[in-house]
Amino acid sequence: MENLSIEKRYKIISDENKELKKRNQKLEEQNTQLLSIIENLSEGVMFANNKGDFIMVNSEARRVIYKSDIGINIADAFKNIEVFDIFGKQLAFKDFPSVRALRGEKSKNVRIFVRHPNKEYYAEISSTPIYNAKGDLTIIVSCFHDITETINQSRKIEEQKKELEAIIENIADSIAIFDDKGKYILVNKTSRELFHASYNSMDNISEGYDTSEFYDTYGKQLDSENIPANRVMRGEEFKNMRVIVKSPNKTLQVDINGTPIYDSNGKFSLGVLCSRDMTDYFKHEEITRSRYEFLNNMVNTFDLPVVRLTCPDFKIVDINKKGLSIVESLKPKIKSITQIKGNKIEDLFGKFKSSEYYKCISEVLKDKKIKYLNKRSLILNGNEVYFNVVFEPIFEVNSEIREIVILLIDVTPEIKSNMVMKKALKMQGEFLVNVSHELKTPLNVIFATAQLFNLYCTSGSLDDKKDSIIKYIESIKQNSYRLSKIINNIVDLSKIEAGFYKLNLSNNNIVEIVEEIVVSLTNLTDSKGLNIVFDTDCEENIIACDTEKIERIVLNLISNAIKFSDKGDEIFVCVKNKNKNKFVEISVKDNGIGIEEEHLDIIFDRFSQVDKSLSRNAEGTGIGLSLVKSIVELHGGSIYVESEFGKGSKFTVRLPKNKVLNENMLYSSNVRSRDENIQVELSDVYS
Ligand code: ADP
């Protein structure tokens, strides 16, 4: 250069100047561009010199920091604000990132909260010191942006997360969430109480399986791959999987829902198990079921037909055994309860809708009240059976009728005994008519005789009429016997019924007793033109009996035979050993009018008399045979009759051949002689 001419040197310098100017111009252009870029950045940017005096503050920075607060120095920007770190701790001026940068400290993404009288905001700020070539700090740059919105949103999300966690924590169902490695992320309170007593967030699903065993409802243990958590891990979703979980100190029955959750790439990220403890529910269900079974068994054992019908379609829900037996006999095709259950009543009983039962059920539905059908008869297995039918509505909680229970109460015995009672009352009435007639006849005779005697006395003709008086006295005696017989029979029958009638048992030759009676009656039978015959298979037959009562039995039977026989007929009295000497049979057979077959059953009943018009020459009250039967039975024996209407009758008395060790020979002053007995017992056949 030294050798160059001035012109040349000037030219070079001038060129260099030009070049410098150009560069300078370019640099300024670039500077302007850079400043414009910085000015328009969405980030707040501020430059300050090493004294903290602002060199540049871009528009965003001016917006965020209160405009009027931006003075010359950084300290000016602090005069109206308080700054806190993200945890709420107040920052001293010296700890502010820009101020720290003045000291050469670099800070990155420091989150701060700024409180200004006119506004509050969160910001994220980074400050950097810049050094020149000599290493002197010349400039600091601080970049920041408003993160209020982001912070508020993440706070909101955090709050919602907490709310959600609180809900999950306190929900009555058990919830457990685990990740793709099986590690528990969340186990709520119910789940901890039920399954994870010593829950630790590091636990893995597999650890629960070391202490618990899983069974299905049939009691079969689940293999590892069917354990609920493992099914979810495999990506299965399921609902209400019923599992029995046995752990060392308890056994639970749980319903489990399992849901796998996938990330945006479709990869399994979380598994959710939601379980409900059904142990108590099943216990109650079990108790209810066993109570129901108990009731059902009870209802089944009832000797009372019970049917349950649904409403309003009258389908049979259930029927007990007794009810089934009735349906079976009405519908022989039906053999089992399953054939009946679920059927509509009208399908089983075609005419149901037109029946009075249907009408009654309709009334139950209308009035919502129990209804009855009384004394309805059914023919079951050939027998007429009477029922009172009860229709009882069973209500839902909303007081709608859910079912109708039908009970059939068998009132056959009651109805039949009513019938018997009515018949007995009718017979008693007839008896009273007969008795009063029987009592009146001898009384009339006695009364008329007394009047006659009175006439004889007043007319002084007693002596003249001596013969006829003796005849009349005989008639009084005869009619007194008749009265005596009636009264004796009534009194004895009452005694027997009340249990006061006692036998005086002694060991006697029954053949002799019967034969003597027959012999003493021959005069009477002769006078009636009847032939009486006695027969026996042995001469002596000693049995324990009450002689007087045996006489009454035999006299009663012979008296009937005489009453219902005609002149020329024969009466055959026989004493025989029977059943290898176990019994003695006394039979009285006649060939009189006989008894119609339909009356054979009733003649031993109290007060029963075959139609009086048929028993021509008969007098009587209808209690003789009933008394005979009772006395025979008191001796431990029995009586039966064989008869053919128009041909004659045979009455047979069977007495056991017992003997008594202590003979009861009580003699009462009331005991009558045999003759007197004959007079009394045959009083109605003596004419
Ligand atoms: P009564 O005192 O009326 O004779 P019984 O009890 O002795 O009553 O007899 C009842 C009925 O039985 C009689 O009314 C009669 O109809 C019938 N009867 C009893 N014995 C005979 C017989 N030997 N022959 C025909 N009918 C008889």
Side-chain angles (χ1 to χ4, degrees):
M1 189 79 132
E2 280 164 25
N3 302 331
L4 292 176
S5 63
I6 289 173
E7 287 86 21
K8 273 198 174 162
R9 281 162 87 185
Y10 178 78
K11 185 151 180 336
I12 289 167
I13 289 168
S14 142
D15 285 350
E16 275 178 359
N17 255 350
K18 270 185 194 162
E19 186 63 23
L20 273 173
K21 259 187 186 167
K22 249 190 203 167
R23 271 198 214 162
N24 210 16
Q25 208 176 340
K26 206 170 180 186
L27 271 174
E28 260 177 25
E29 270 171 25
Q30 279 177 343
N31 196 27
T32 319
Q33 274 174 1
L34 200 66
L35 283 174
S36 156
I37 290 167
I38 291 171
E39 176 67 14
N40 293 306
L41 275 177
S42 60
E43 189 101 333
V45 180
M46 46 186 210
F47 292 90
N49 65 15
N50 56 8
K51 294 199 174 50
D53 297 335
F54 288 121
I55 299 166
M56 190 211 162
V57 176
N58 78 347
S59 64
E60 174 62 12
R62 289 195 301 276
R63 191 189 66 78
V64 176
I65 306 168
Y66 215 67
K67 216 176 194 172
S68 62
D69 289 347
I70 304 171
I72 300 162
N73 196 276
I74 288 174
D76 298 334
F78 267 81
K79 61 180 186 279
N80 281 330
I81 60 169
E82 287 177 306
V83 181
F84 302 85
D85 69 11
I86 203 74
F87 305 107
K89 193 178 152 232
Q90 192 160 8
L91 282 185
F93 175 66
K94 68 177 175 60
D95 293 328
F96 192 71
S98 306
V99 181
R100 283 170 60 196
L102 285 174
R103 294 202 299 272
E105 291 173 29
K106 205 172 172 180
S107 10
K108 200 159 186 225
N109 296 337
V110 178
R111 288 188 163 194
I112 54 167
F113 171 67
V114 181
R115 184 183 291 143
H116 181 274
N118 296 332
K119 72 171 192 177
E120 289 180 343
Y121 61 92
Y122 286 93
E124 196 172 67
I125 178 162
S126 300
S127 293
T128 314
I130 296 172
Y131 298 90
N132 65 10
K134 283 193 237 157
D136 299 328
L137 193 154
T138 51
I139 301 172
I140 62 132
V141 186
S142 287
C143 301
F144 56 91
H145 55 268
D146 188 342
I147 55 165
T148 313
E149 194 65 19
T150 321
I151 291 278
N152 282 346
Q153 259 177 17
S154 62
R155 283 227 166 128
K156 217 172 183 177
I157 290 169
E158 192 63 27
E159 273 167 23
Q160 281 174 347
K161 193 180 154 212
K162 277 192 180 146
E163 273 174 26
L164 200 70
E165 277 176 357
I167 292 170
I168 292 176
E169 175 70 2
N170 293 303
I171 217 161
D173 285 352
S174 135
I175 292 178
I177 303 174
F178 47 87
D179 65 14
D180 57 343
K181 308 270 173 322
K183 197 187 110 188
Y184 284 118
I185 290 169
L186 187 150
V187 171
N188 77 344
K189 198 162 92 196
T190 315
S191 184
R192 289 195 301 276
E193 283 167 2
L194 284 182
F195 311 111
H196 309 270
S198 56
Y199 167 71
N200 160 351
S201 62
M202 294 303 285
D203 280 350
N204 192 284
I205 50 169
S206 61
E207 277 154 46
Y209 306 147
D210 296 340
T211 50
S212 303
E213 288 172 345
F214 293 78
Y215 296 84
D216 65 15
T217 45
Y218 301 103
K220 194 178 157 244
Q221 188 163 6
L222 299 184
D223 44 26
S224 160
E225 63 189 46
N226 282 322
I227 284 170
N230 289 346
R231 286 181 65 185
V232 175
M233 288 278 274
R234 277 206 309 276
E236 270 184 57
E237 180 161 0
F238 52 86
K239 273 207 156 89
N240 294 331
M241 175 182 180
R242 196 155 285 180
V243 177
I244 295 163
V245 187
K246 283 189 187 169
S247 56
N249 47 5
K250 62 183 166 191
T251 298
L252 300 171
Q253 294 204 54
V254 282
D255 274 0
I256 304 180
N257 294 347
T259 315
I261 294 173
Y262 299 94
D263 64 15
S264 50
N265 299 321
K267 204 175 142 256
F268 176 89
S269 65
L270 293 174
V272 181
L273 283 178
C274 177
S275 336
R276 180 167 289 186
D277 180 11
M278 305 293 279
T279 318
D280 283 348
Y281 174 83
F282 288 129
K283 242 184 233 162
H284 283 128
E285 203 183 63
E286 180 61 28
I287 291 170
T288 318
R289 203 176 52 79
S290 65
R291 273 191 200 150
Y292 178 79
E293 262 174 27
F294 171 71
L295 280 175
N296 228 15
N297 286 342
M298 241 172 67
V299 170
N300 239 344
T301 54
F302 279 175
D303 193 31
L304 182 85
V306 182
V307 187
R308 283 168 49 207
L309 298 184
T310 56
C311 261
D313 48 2
F314 312 133
K315 274 189 187 169
I316 297 176
V317 184
D318 210 352
I319 183 164
N320 72 346
K321 270 190 199 154
K322 186 77 183 174
L324 177 67
S325 70
I326 290 189
V327 178
E328 278 172 348
S329 57
L330 294 175
K331 296 254 150 189
K333 276 189 188 162
I334 288 170
K335 294 273 175 269
S336 73
I337 289 188
T338 39
Q339 276 176 279
I340 297 184
K341 275 192 193 172
N343 266 308
K344 284 191 171 190
I345 280 255
E346 52 260 48
D347 297 339
L348 291 178
F349 302 94
K351 287 180 186 150
F352 173 68
K353 283 210 164 174
S354 58
S355 70
E356 57 177 351
Y357 294 88
Y358 182 79
K359 244 176 83 191
C360 202
I361 292 177
S362 307
E363 277 174 30
V364 174
L365 294 183
K366 204 173 101 223
D367 302 346
K368 295 194 170 174
K369 269 191 198 153
I370 189 166
K371 298 274 166 182
Y372 305 90
L373 278 181
N374 287 336
K375 295 180 193 163
R376 292 305 185 274
S377 71
L378 282 177
I379 302 292
L380 293 181
N381 307 321
N383 298 320
E384 187 159 36
V385 185
Y386 292 87
F387 289 108
N388 281 354
V389 190
V390 182
F391 299 87
E392 166 103 54
I394 307 288
F395 295 97
E396 299 267 20
V397 234
N398 63 3
S399 51
E400 287 301 314
I401 297 179
R402 190 184 53 182
E403 280 183 16
I404 291 179
V405 173
I406 304 176
L407 304 174
L408 283 95
I409 301 163
D410 187 351
V411 289
T412 318
E414 192 186 312
I415 297 233
K416 291 214 165 143
S417 73
N418 271 351
M419 286 175 174
V420 170
M421 191 90 91
K422 269 188 197 158
K423 204 173 147 200
L425 281 173
K426 195 172 158 239
M427 276 167 74
Q428 220 162 352
E430 283 169 4
F431 169 73
L432 283 175
V433 174
N434 285 345
V435 164
S436 48
H437 169 77
E438 288 295 306
L439 290 173
K440 256 190 209 160
T441 317
L443 271 177
N444 283 344
V445 174
I446 295 167
F447 188 60
T449 317
Q451 275 179 330
L452 199 67
F453 285 179
N454 195 29
L455 197 74
Y456 290 164
C457 285
T458 49
S459 64
S461 56
L462 273 177
D463 281 339
D464 302 347
K465 303 286 183 189
K466 198 175 168 193
D467 286 347
S468 84
I469 287 174
I470 291 171
K471 219 176 90 203
Y472 285 127
I473 288 175
E474 199 49 46
S475 156
I476 290 176
K477 233 167 108 188
Q478 179 60 32
N479 283 290
S480 301
Y481 287 140
R482 283 183 72 173
L483 285 175
S484 185
K485 179 181 175 183
I486 297 166
I487 291 162
N488 281 346
N489 281 353
I490 294 171
V491 170
D492 286 352
L493 204 65
S494 310
K495 274 191 189 166
I496 287 172
E497 274 182 8
F500 296 140
Y501 197 77
K502 293 274 171 316
L503 297 180
N504 286 328
L505 289 179
S506 56
N507 300 325
N508 300 287
N509 182 2
I510 191 88
V511 182
E512 197 183 336
I513 299 173
V514 179
E515 189 171 9
E516 279 177 11
I517 295 172
V518 173
V519 170
S520 26
L521 287 175
T522 41
N523 282 344
L524 175 69
T525 47
D526 283 352
S527 72
K528 297 228 167 242
L530 298 167
N531 186 23
I532 190 159
V533 181
F534 174 78
D535 190 20
T536 182
D537 57 0
C538 67
E539 284 308 314
E540 192 178 80
N541 222 331
I542 310 284
I543 66 161
C545 61
D546 182 328
T547 331
E548 193 225 332
K549 311 282 172 0
I550 294 294
E551 280 175 7
R552 282 185 74 179
I553 293 171
V554 178
L555 283 172
N556 212 304
L557 295 178
I558 297 176
S559 149
N560 277 344
I562 297 172
K563 267 201 282 181
F564 300 105
S565 295
D566 267 338
K567 238 185 197 162
D569 286 346
E570 188 164 82
I571 298 168
F572 193 73
V573 183
C574 185
V575 181
K576 273 188 180 162
N577 279 306
K578 277 279 149 133
N579 255 24
K580 296 180 186 154
N581 279 345
K582 281 190 185 151
F583 295 98
V584 176
E585 265 188 15
I586 307 165
S587 58
V588 178
K589 185 170 171 279
D590 63 64
N591 49 3
I593 63 165
I595 304 164
E596 276 181 288
E597 202 182 333
E598 59 187 286
H599 297 130
L600 286 177
D601 281 349
I602 59 154
I603 54 168
F604 294 106
D605 292 348
R606 266 187 311 159
F607 318 135
S608 68
Q609 270 186 321
V610 177
D611 188 3
K612 267 205 143 193
S613 61
L614 287 173
S615 44
R616 304 157 296 162
N617 44 2
E619 305 266 4
T621 52
I623 49 179
L625 282 178
S626 157
L627 198 65
V628 166
K629 188 173 179 231
S630 299
I631 299 173
V632 170
E633 283 168 359
L634 279 175
H635 276 88
S638 59
I639 181 166
Y640 62 93
V641 62
E642 298 154 278
S643 183
E644 207 177 323
F645 189 56
K647 292 206 167 156
S649 317
K650 180 180 175 189
F651 287 83
T652 309
V653 173
R654 265 188 160 203
L655 295 174
K657 282 184 75 172
N658 295 334
K659 291 214 175 88
V660 278
L661 289 176
N662 301 319
E663 292 183 309
N664 193 0
M665 299 299 280
L666 278 180
Y667 285 102
S668 134
S669 54
N670 287 337
V671 173
R672 300 171 302 210
S673 71
R674 173 169 301 138
D675 272 356
E676 208 175 354
N677 268 342
I678 292 174
Q679 297 287 351
V680 172
E681 293 306 328
L682 278 88
S683 54
D684 47 357
V685 287
Y686 277 111
S687 50

